[in-house]
Amino acid sequence: MEASSSGITNGKTKVFHPEGGVDLQGYQLDMQILPDGPKSDVDFSEILNAIQEMAKDVNILFDELEAVNSPCKDDDSLLHPGNLTSTSDDASRLEAGGETMPERNKSNGLYFRDGKCRIDYILVYRKSNPQTEKREVFERNIRAEGLHMEKESSIINSDIIFVKLHAPWEVLGRYAEQMNVRMPFRRKIYYLPRRYKFMSRIDKQISSFRRWLPKKPMRLDKETLPDLEENDCYTAPFSQQRIHHFIIHNKDTFFNNATRSRIVHHILQRIKYEEGKNKIGLNRLLTNGSYEAAFPLHEGGYRSKNSIRTHGAENHRHLLYECWASWGVWYKYQPLDLVRRYFGEKIGLYFAWLGWYTGMLFPAAFIGLFVFLYGVITLDHCQVSKEVCQATDIIMCPVCDKYCPFMRLSDSCVYAKVTHLFDNGATVFFAVFMAVWATVFLEFWKRRRAVIAYDWDLIDWEEEEEEIRPQFEAKYSKKERMNPISGKPEPYQAFADKCSRLVVSASGIFFMICVVIAAVFGIVIYRVVTVSTFAAFKWALIRNNSQVATTGTAVCINFCIIMLLNVLYEKVALLLTNLEQPRTESEWENSFTLKMFLFQFVNLNSSTFYIAFFLGRFTGHPGAYLRLINRWRLEECHPSGCLIDLCMQMGIIMVLKQTWNNFMELGYPLIQNWWTRRKVRQEHGPERKISFPQWEKDYNLQPMNAYGLFDEYLEMILQFGFTTIFVAAFPLAPLLALLNNIIEIRLDAYKFVTQWRRPLASRAKDIGIWYGILEGIGILSVITNAFVIAITSDFIPRLVYAYKYGPCAGQGEAGQKCMVGYVNASLSVFRISDFENRSEPESDGSEFSGTPLKYCRYRDYRDPPHSLVPYGYTLQFWHVLAARLAFIIVFEHLVFCIKHLISYLIPDLPKDLRDRMRREKYLIQEMMYEAELERLQKERKERKKNGKAHHNEWP
């Protein structure tokens, strides 16, 4: 055998990369160096001896690999100009195929130029950036960790440099063990519990009945999409010492792309770029501008000329687009296993929760629609709206000073009918149903999450395995203490330091909430001032509907203020969270999430709370109005009630908020990506069709939000609040939420697959702090709905009138016939001559009867002006107040008892899952024992073959 040009030492071949790394795949015998001639002339015993020598020296090469440390330069030693060959749509196949084809891999944009090393991570910087020294040190340390590196210049801009990183097997194995990455080691054996004969017969009958039914259209067709099937295996933390236990068919594909990128990102977050305790990690280099971007690659294009059903999926991204992100599959279930495999468990859990929430909205939307339709059907039979529409002789007092005219009660006929659509006999039932629905939703989500955690192998994944944030590690590196779990020293934050930071953070939160309240106060002043302005408006349409115009414009202005303040809240929350110095990434996310939720929840709902519980409650009465700063008269409710204002507030805010969010989530990235493509066409000419490599395609996409899934969760949690907190005032809220979420799932999927760079895959056991927030919203919804029904709506006053003051008083009935005379009984009389000078209207009301009015009516329970105590509260007022308080107490206690009962009756873990987990634990112990026993027996046989004696050997 002759030595090849690559160099052979003692029969071993080493291939050194230009970066200074060693290609262990090149650690092989080059069969091309065999002499020409018949194969019988070749001495294969020499080849066998050489292979044995290579196997003995593998550890030496591993040591050499870690010791290699060539200088890293920003010159052209590693830089290759970009070529115009790139990823075609069919170039990137699934992991199991195509990776053993170097010639094809060279041009698909997913591998190094040798076609063997897969690109695991991309760093992007500009030559003109002055942070050259930091990059040199950082990239030198990257090589010291054993990562392979290759550089490529951009096709359209030679100033942009792409740094391609590849983690070889030994680096992946070493860090996978440190990070406790769980890998498959044996296929699962499913345990089928014993079933009784009676249950088996029932199952057979149900199965025979299902044959006559059409196939479930919402399920994905796994026969035509076989790649949706996951390898169902038992997993264990990876260990190089027990590597023989794991299922390794191919070392290149043992760690999937998402896991490889996660390991490389973990390494980059621990690498120093300068001397100093805080000079560590990729995040800081991205912050100071040393690198422009850092991301893992998508697995090729998401479109193909060929049909997926005839030619199969080109790659996982293409598969996700066809069966998840395409609008044609909006009615089908989500391929959650595939989402988790491509984007990681954290994003997979978000879409699992979103899908579960959307599915649970179906019964809520149906019942809400039924309540609304019940109001439509019973509208013609509603005695209250009939009396309002027929009350042409009842003249209402002006609702503002001077400019507001007197008005007939019949003028508010339309508003009375609209109010009945939302405030009818089924409203109380719907409020109780939604409170119970929120509990059932959360309890069954815990069961669903447990099944997902089991299927995705997250049961044993705990927070103790999570790494410490580099910023925390750098800040408190001088103080260390032993970790009670791992027994290793780790940075420690003193209790006094932590408390002082929390106090400052809490003060900042309180100040920002005060800013929100001040903004609401400004909206209140606007409503008070504007109602008089609209009442004196030239246009009759606005003048006659001054209150509605005031409410509508106030809601729109409030929405604009909400959007503006959200920008400020985000920066303040980020500042306060970094000030607290959380220990882990999950603690950082939880702290930031709680602050942003508090800010945005108060910001979004403060005006709604004002309208629901304060509007028209503290205005006084004609002749003795309460005033703001002793100047502006507080706003009153519409003659038909305050519920119409609350409905307008919720409807407008909900529709505008969801429309704006959908535009910002999808419309903005689409516009940005279109603008980038347009600039490229202008620079290179529209006739020239440029084919970009995959890394440049991904670089031109929009990066994922810096806070991960925060915006997606926050949007849905705020929607959940709207759906539950004031649902008694707006029963159509669940239906609007359902329609929005059906679109939201596909919008988010399309955005993740096509418009965003591939996010880093990360693990999570559940939805984190969001679950606690959902529980808090569920409790708050019971209280708010009790107050909405008791105070905002007219349900309690009608009930009191029917049983105590109406025609059916003392008879135990409360039908529509018992409501005759209710409108007249709910209005009090005011003498116009008792008006204050600044409240006296310009009109004397002569347009109604031809003579000046002496009396007008207003909504309240007060004595007439000629009584012993003019304008004092009547006995009916105290009866209504007592009934309202009693209803709040009874409603809350009843609903809370039902919620706790449901929580108690529904276990967190399904029984079959609990049995499977116990049996799996038993089988894993048996498998590990058998595997270890098999290994020891093989070692014993090999030693016997070598002629070595063994004494007292077990087994």
Side-chain angles (χ1 to χ4, degrees), residues 417-464:
K417 291 182 177 180
V418 172
T419 300
H420 177 74
L421 299 179
F422 302 101
D423 184 14
N424 51 63
T427 303
V428 178
F429 160 75
F430 186 59
V432 175
F433 170 81
M434 287 303 297
V436 174
W437 173 86
T439 302
V440 172
F441 161 65
L442 293 176
E443 291 300 321
F444 276 96
W445 163 248
K446 285 195 290 187
R447 293 166 61 87
R448 174 63 176 158
R449 187 207 62 83
V451 174
I452 292 175
Y454 171 79
D455 292 338
W456 292 356
D457 201 31
L458 299 171
I459 296 294
D460 298 328
W461 187 82
E462 297 293 342
E463 186 180 350
E464 285 74 22

Side-chain angles (χ1 to χ4, degrees), residues 86-139:
S86 69
T87 310
S88 59
D89 287 338
D90 59 345
S92 177
R93 302 296 297 173
L94 297 177
E95 292 173 6
E99 292 189 358
T100 59
M101 304 166 63
E103 292 300 325
R104 187 178 184 182
N105 293 339
K106 287 181 182 179
S107 61
N108 68 4
L110 299 176
Y111 291 81
F112 279 19
R113 288 181 297 275
D114 60 4
K116 297 179 181 179
C117 298
R118 188 177 187 94
I119 300 173
D120 297 322
Y121 212 80
I122 292 290
L123 302 177
V124 185
Y125 69 90
R126 292 181 179 269
K127 285 183 180 180
S128 57
N129 190 283
Q131 307 283 352
T132 304
E133 186 177 352
K134 293 179 180 179
R135 283 198 306 271
E136 288 180 356
V137 176
F138 187 72
E139 292 175 4

Side-chain angles (χ1 to χ4, degrees), residues 501-529:
R501 292 176 179 274
L502 289 176
V503 168
V504 174
S505 179
S507 302
I509 295 173
F510 179 76
F511 173 76
M512 294 308 299
I513 291 178
C514 291
V515 172
V516 177
I517 297 175
V520 175
F521 186 73
I523 294 295
V524 172
I525 295 177
Y526 168 82
R527 295 174 68 103
V528 170
V529 173

Side-chain angles (χ1 to χ4, degrees), residues 60-198:
I60 298 175
L61 275 178
F62 283 173
D63 296 336
E64 290 178 2
L65 177 64
E66 296 177 5
V68 172
N69 186 15
S70 63
C72 174
K73 301 178 181 179
D74 271 350
D75 54 15
D76 295 336
S77 60
L78 300 178
L79 184 60
H80 290 257
N83 48 50
L84 299 182
T85 60
S86 69
T87 310
S88 59
D89 287 338
D90 59 345
S92 177
R93 302 296 297 173
L94 297 177
E95 292 173 6
E99 292 189 358
T100 59
M101 304 166 63
E103 292 300 325
R104 187 178 184 182
N105 293 339
K106 287 181 182 179
S107 61
N108 68 4
L110 299 176
Y111 291 81
F112 279 19
R113 288 181 297 275
D114 60 4
K116 297 179 181 179
C117 298
R118 188 177 187 94
I119 300 173
D120 297 322
Y121 212 80
I122 292 290
L123 302 177
V124 185
Y125 69 90
R126 292 181 179 269
K127 285 183 180 180
S128 57
N129 190 283
Q131 307 283 352
T132 304
E133 186 177 352
K134 293 179 180 179
R135 283 198 306 271
E136 288 180 356
V137 176
F138 187 72
E139 292 175 4
R140 191 181 306 124
N141 291 333
I142 287 177
R143 287 196 185 83
E145 291 291 336
L147 296 178
H148 294 177
M149 184 185 299
E150 197 172 72
K151 293 187 178 182
E152 198 96 19
S153 62
S154 171
I155 295 175
I156 59 175
N157 188 351
S158 59
D159 188 45
I160 298 176
I161 306 299
F162 295 95
V163 181
K164 300 176 284 186
L165 300 179
H166 167 76
W169 167 259
E170 60 276 5
V171 175
L172 292 172
R174 184 169 71 249
Y175 279 95
E177 187 170 2
Q178 292 180 14
M179 297 170 62
N180 292 319
V181 177
R182 301 183 69 87
M183 300 304 295
F185 70 91
R186 189 70 61 89
R187 288 192 175 275
K188 284 186 177 180
I189 302 174
Y190 286 99
Y191 167 70
L192 298 176
R194 183 178 179 181
R195 301 181 65 86
Y196 295 101
K197 293 183 179 180
F198 177 72

Side-chain angles (χ1 to χ4, degrees), residues 809-938:
Q811 300 179 12
E813 297 181 11
Q816 290 297 324
K817 64 179 181 179
C818 301
M819 299 303 298
V820 176
Y822 167 76
V823 172
N824 186 60
S826 64
L827 298 176
S828 299
V829 179
F830 177 73
R831 187 165 48 204
I832 296 177
S833 60
D834 293 338
F835 265 123
E836 300 172 299
N837 291 331
R838 53 181 172 177
S839 298
E840 188 173 357
E842 294 180 345
S843 173
D844 58 0
S846 58
E847 65 270 16
F848 295 102
S849 60
T851 58
L853 292 175
K854 294 182 179 180
Y855 298 95
C856 64
R857 310 292 293 271
Y858 61 98
R859 284 174 56 92
D860 209 341
Y861 297 100
R862 292 183 181 272
D863 291 323
H866 51 75
S867 62
L868 295 177
V869 182
Y871 308 117
Y873 287 117
T874 62
L875 183 61
Q876 187 175 356
F877 169 82
W878 300 108
H879 285 166
V880 171
L881 179 61
R884 282 173 167 168
L885 296 177
F887 175 84
I888 292 172
I889 295 174
V890 172
F891 182 89
E892 288 182 356
H893 282 71
L894 176 64
V895 174
F896 278 131
C897 288
I898 296 175
K899 287 169 67 71
H900 287 299
L901 179 63
I902 292 174
S903 300
Y904 175 76
L905 293 177
I906 301 177
D908 294 344
L909 284 178
K911 185 179 183 302
D912 58 340
L913 177 61
R914 189 183 300 111
D915 294 340
R916 286 169 62 187
M917 291 171 60
R918 291 175 179 174
R919 179 160 180 81
E920 178 179 320
K921 185 176 181 181
Y922 168 78
L923 290 176
I924 287 177
Q925 293 176 351
E926 293 292 322
M927 291 175 186
M928 297 295 287
Y929 171 77
E930 291 174 1
E932 193 67 22
L933 182 63
E934 183 180 354
R935 185 182 66 84
L936 293 173
Q937 288 176 347
K938 286 183 179 179

Side-chain angles (χ1 to χ4, degrees), residues 480-644:
E480 292 185 347
R481 72 171 182 179
M482 299 297 292
N483 188 313
I485 306 300
S486 63
K488 298 178 182 178
E490 65 178 17
Y492 168 68
Q493 183 182 14
F495 180 76
D497 180 73
K498 187 174 183 178
C499 287
S500 61
R501 292 176 179 274
L502 289 176
V503 168
V504 174
S505 179
S507 302
I509 295 173
F510 179 76
F511 173 76
M512 294 308 299
I513 291 178
C514 291
V515 172
V516 177
I517 297 175
V520 175
F521 186 73
I523 294 295
V524 172
I525 295 177
Y526 168 82
R527 295 174 68 103
V528 170
V529 173
T530 310
V531 67
S532 298
T533 304
F534 282 150
F537 212 74
K538 295 180 180 179
W539 294 349
L541 179 64
I542 297 178
R543 184 173 61 251
N544 297 333
N545 300 277
S546 58
Q547 283 189 298
V548 177
T550 300
T551 301
T553 54
V555 171
C556 295
I557 293 174
N558 183 33
F559 176 76
C560 295
I561 293 175
I562 288 171
M563 294 293 103
L564 292 176
L565 288 179
N566 283 345
V567 179
L568 175 63
Y569 295 154
E570 181 177 334
K571 295 181 179 179
V572 174
L574 182 62
L575 176 66
L576 295 177
T577 306
N578 289 332
L579 179 66
E580 291 178 7
Q581 287 290 347
R583 177 177 172 273
T584 63
E585 286 295 334
S586 63
E587 290 180 4
W588 189 95
E589 289 181 4
N590 290 342
S591 178
F592 179 77
T593 297
L594 183 61
K595 292 178 182 61
M596 282 297 293
F597 171 76
L598 286 176
F599 292 158
Q600 296 218 21
F601 181 81
V602 175
N603 189 23
L604 190 63
N605 293 284
S606 53
S607 296
T608 310
F609 271 89
Y610 164 74
I611 293 174
F613 305 127
F614 297 99
L615 179 63
R617 301 287 178 267
F618 308 100
T619 58
H621 62 87
Y625 286 117
L626 298 178
R627 297 184 179 274
L628 195 64
I629 320 178
N630 198 26
R631 181 179 178 183
W632 294 299
R633 170 182 161 184
L634 292 176
E635 187 182 5
E636 293 185 39
C637 291
H638 198 272
S640 60
C642 293
L643 200 66
I644 187 67

